[in-house]
Amino acid sequence: IGAVLTAMVPVMWAYNGLQNLGYLGAEIRNAPRSIPVALLCGLLIVGTLYVLLDVMYCHVLPFSRVAGSAHVASDAVASLFGHSGAAWLTGGPLTD
């Protein structure tokens, strides 16, 4: 039950963001046009950044290392900037 409740936290966070969109819509000029455009632009920006990061991971690390890694981002940063850069990214020391 604890794992299910932990997994529900980001789901509910996203739902609350959409739920509060109605309150925001009252404050925006031309809300029926502005809100969908903002949602679409935000979705495209986040999706593009995600794909670009995945492409970067595959270019920096061999595919076998990407497939076997539990922490691909810190492994990619460690190969680019060393262990101190990866520790900065993860916010703590790395263990190998």
Side-chain angles (χ1 to χ4, degrees):
I1 290 183
V4 171
L5 293 176
T6 302
M8 287 298 294
V9 169
V11 172
M12 294 305 293
W13 183 65
Y15 174 75
N16 285 336
L18 287 174
Q19 179 185 12
N20 293 331
L21 201 58
Y23 301 119
L24 181 67
E27 304 294 326
I28 297 175
R29 283 187 221 118
N30 197 7
R33 181 189 178 285
S34 299
I35 291 176
V37 168
L39 286 173
L40 183 62
C41 288
L43 180 70
L44 290 174
I45 289 169
V46 169
T48 301
L49 289 174
Y50 179 79
V51 169
L52 288 174
L53 275 174
D54 286 343
V55 168
M56 188 268 306
Y57 296 153
C58 290
H59 280 291
V60 170
L61 299 173
F63 185 73
S64 60
R65 189 159 172 208
V66 171
S69 176
H71 306 287
V72 178
S74 60
D75 290 346
V77 172
S79 69
L80 289 173
F81 302 111
H83 284 288
S84 61
W88 179 83
L89 174 76
T90 58
L94 295 178
T95 58
D96 283 331

